[in-house]
Amino acid sequence: MGIVKAIAGAIGGGLADTWLEVLEADNMTDTTVLTSGVKVRRNDKRNANKRGTDDLITDGSIIHVGENQFMMLLDGGKVVDYTAESGYYKVDLKATPSLFSGNLGAGIAETFRRVKFGGVPSAKQTVLFVNLQEIKGIRFGTRAPINYFDNFYNSELFLRAHGTYSIKIVDPLKFYAEAIGKSSRRVDIQDINEQYLNEFLEALQSAINRMSADGIRISYVTGKAQEVSRYMAEALDENWRNMRGMEIQAVGIASVSYDEESKELINLRNRGAMLSDPTVREGYVQATVAEGIKNAGSNPNGSATAFMGMGLGMNAAGNFMASASATNAQQMAMRAAAAPAPSAPAASAGWTCSCGHTNPDTAKFCADCGKAKPAPAAAETWTCSCGQTNSGKFCSACGTKRPDAGWTCTCGHANAAGAKFCGECGKKRED
């Protein structure tokens, strides 16, 4: 008993009026994992086959397989043929199994051979369909807090997580053999989810522990859905894919909450981080004093008595508060001293025109006579004995002082800088 591909052109409305069955999957929702085949237009008035026997498929009947559906043909409760390719198929009681694996590849055929489905034809044939779409929206929630060591807080914290996850059936024959009751004709994911939810939560705890070991802060867990999915896929691969033919597709964490002790530790750590700032700490001290004065003024037993008690208390605590404020002021002063002071813009000296009028540096022409601003004089340069060209008083390469310039005598002779008398006429240098 097997199935063969039917020619699409031969499949028409006339099949509904013959004694042959035309079968397709029963209503398949986004949470349905398995459903049986039903006759097309079985309640149609034109359908003359009103006395057909259930669980008996006539030789030559047509089975319609839709997208993302895996059809199994059963004879006597045993799978004798299947297909994962959409289209029309004709039942041939004399044909051998055709095994149209589609995009599931050779692995599904290997499952068929290993599990050894098949057997002697009997008087009971069934068509079942497995949903190959992603099954979404499976809810989960941790029943007990999961421990999470956070390096940032340096503490063992505990959290609860809630959300949804999705699965995909990747080996429908294995899934049918291991996860579905053999007498089932319609199965929803919630019908079989209890066992797998327990395994899912164990894998979730393992994944969260992996995130803790990787140093991810506890407050980032909600935004790490992809990492959680990857960790859980690794934890569930062997049990779910290799043993049951399904795998985790995605995990969506909707909320993460902490137990009361973890909340207190987190709040204490955050409060300490804020109060380590001297400005915030001084503001806290001043606000506390102001709140105490306010409460004293509203004391129903009399403000005088309240202020007297407050004065006694402040005398006792005055040294502490004064010391705290002094410490805060000192730390704020140190912070201000360490901060670089803003540099004031240099005052502009301006430039003086030949007519004597002083103009700002930004002016390109004299405001008095209209002459153009003179070009800046080129810096006078000199070459050191080391070969470095400089413009300052000392060489930027070796530090040698710039030599004095020579002098020219009235007779026109050029003399060295250190000469006190002219080498030509003997006249003494006049500075």
Side-chain angles (χ1 to χ4, degrees):
M1 182 177 184
I3 56 174
V4 294
K5 272 276 190 180
I7 301 175
I11 308 301
L15 285 174
D17 296 327
T18 68
W19 293 102
L20 302 178
E21 291 89 7
V22 181
L23 303 173
E24 65 180 5
D26 200 359
N27 183 32
M28 185 176 285
T29 68
D30 55 359
T31 60
T32 303
V33 294
L34 177 80
T35 187
S36 59
V38 295
K39 297 176 183 178
V40 177
R41 294 189 292 272
R42 52 188 166 183
N43 297 322
D44 196 316
K45 294 180 180 179
R46 298 187 303 159
N47 189 356
N49 188 8
K50 302 293 186 181
R51 300 178 181 178
T53 304
D54 291 337
D55 295 330
L56 185 62
I57 302 176
T58 308
D59 187 17
S61 295
I62 300 297
I63 302 174
H64 177 211
V65 181
E67 292 288 342
N68 288 319
Q69 292 180 351
F70 179 85
M71 187 275 292
M72 298 181 292
L73 181 61
L74 282 71
D75 188 6
K78 299 179 180 180
V79 178
V80 295
D81 209 345
Y82 66 80
T83 181
E85 300 177 13
S86 59
Y88 293 97
Y89 296 85
K90 183 174 71 171
V91 177
D92 190 341
L93 298 181
K94 299 179 291 297
T96 57
S98 52
L99 311 181
F100 295 98
S101 297
N103 58 6
L104 294 178
I108 189 73
E110 175 60 26
T111 301
F112 184 86
R113 289 188 293 270
R114 180 166 50 83
V115 180
K116 296 181 180 178
F117 289 109
V120 179
S122 66
K124 184 176 182 180
Q125 294 95 32
T126 309
V127 176
L128 295 177
F129 292 85
V130 177
N131 190 356
L132 298 183
Q133 286 185 322
E134 183 181 5
I135 308 299
K136 304 176 183 178
I138 308 172
R139 297 181 181 275
F140 73 88
T142 53
R143 299 184 178 94
I146 299 175
N147 62 304
Y148 194 102
F149 183 83
D150 194 305
N151 292 324
F152 178 78
Y153 294 106
N154 194 27
S155 179
E156 191 80 33
L157 305 175
F158 294 87
L159 61 82
R160 292 184 175 89
H162 298 81
T164 59
Y165 70 97
S166 64
I167 66 168
K168 188 176 180 65
I169 299 170
V170 294
D171 191 336
L173 285 177
K174 189 178 296 181
F175 178 78
Y176 175 72
E178 302 296 337
I180 301 296
K182 298 306 175 286
S183 60
S184 301
R185 294 299 184 90
R186 182 176 184 83
V187 179
D188 193 83
I189 186 61
Q190 299 301 335
D191 299 331
I192 59 173
N193 189 44
E194 183 175 358
Q195 171 65 28
Y196 304 127
L197 179 60
N198 293 332
E199 296 179 13
F200 174 88
L201 293 176
E202 290 180 6
L204 177 64
Q205 180 167 354
S206 175
I208 290 179
N209 290 338
R210 283 275 303 277
M211 295 175 67
S212 171
D214 289 347
I216 298 174
R217 283 183 58 177
I218 193 170
S219 56
Y220 297 163
V221 172
T222 304
K224 297 291 182 178
Q226 292 185 350
E227 287 83 349
V228 173
S229 299
R230 185 178 71 253
Y231 292 149
M232 295 191 64
E234 294 173 0
L236 292 174
D237 270 354
E238 184 174 356
N239 288 337
W240 282 24
R241 183 188 298 122
N242 299 337
M243 295 178 59
R244 298 189 178 103
M246 61 182 185
E247 64 183 15
I248 292 286
Q249 287 292 291
V251 178
I253 300 178
S255 64
V256 172
S257 59
Y258 315 116
D259 67 348
E260 292 302 321
E261 184 176 353
S262 297
K263 288 181 181 178
E264 292 178 4
L265 289 173
I266 293 173
N267 291 335
L268 179 63
R269 171 66 174 78
N270 293 338
R271 189 181 301 114
M274 290 182 62
L275 292 179
S276 64
D277 186 328
T279 305
V280 176
R281 188 168 59 246
E282 178 62 19
Y284 178 78
V285 170
Q286 300 296 337
T288 302
V289 174
E291 187 67 21
I293 296 174
K294 176 181 176 182
N295 293 336
S298 59
N299 192 319
N301 295 323
S303 58
T305 303
F307 276 113
M308 182 181 298
M310 181 180 175
L312 294 175
M314 290 185 67
N315 287 333
N319 291 334
F320 167 75
M321 296 185 65
S323 176
S325 292
T327 301
N328 295 336
Q330 182 181 9
Q331 292 185 7
M332 286 187 285
M334 292 174 61
R335 176 180 295 183
S343 57
S348 175
W351 60 278
T352 302
C353 181
S354 59
C355 70
H357 184 75
T358 301
N359 302 278
D361 277 338
T362 55
K364 296 183 179 180
F365 297 91
C366 177
D368 192 25
C369 67
K371 289 184 179 180
K373 179 180 179 180
E380 183 182 357
T381 60
W382 60 278
T383 302
C384 180
S385 58
C386 69
Q388 176 70 24
T389 301
N390 306 280
S391 59
K393 294 182 179 181
F394 295 91
C395 177
S396 61
C398 65
T400 301
K401 184 178 180 180
R402 177 178 181 175
D404 292 337
W407 59 280
T408 303
C409 181
T410 55
C411 69
H413 182 71
N415 299 278
K420 295 183 178 179
F421 296 91
C422 177
E424 180 67 24
C425 65
K427 186 177 181 179
K428 186 178 180 180
R429 175 178 178 177
E430 297 179 358
D431 293 332

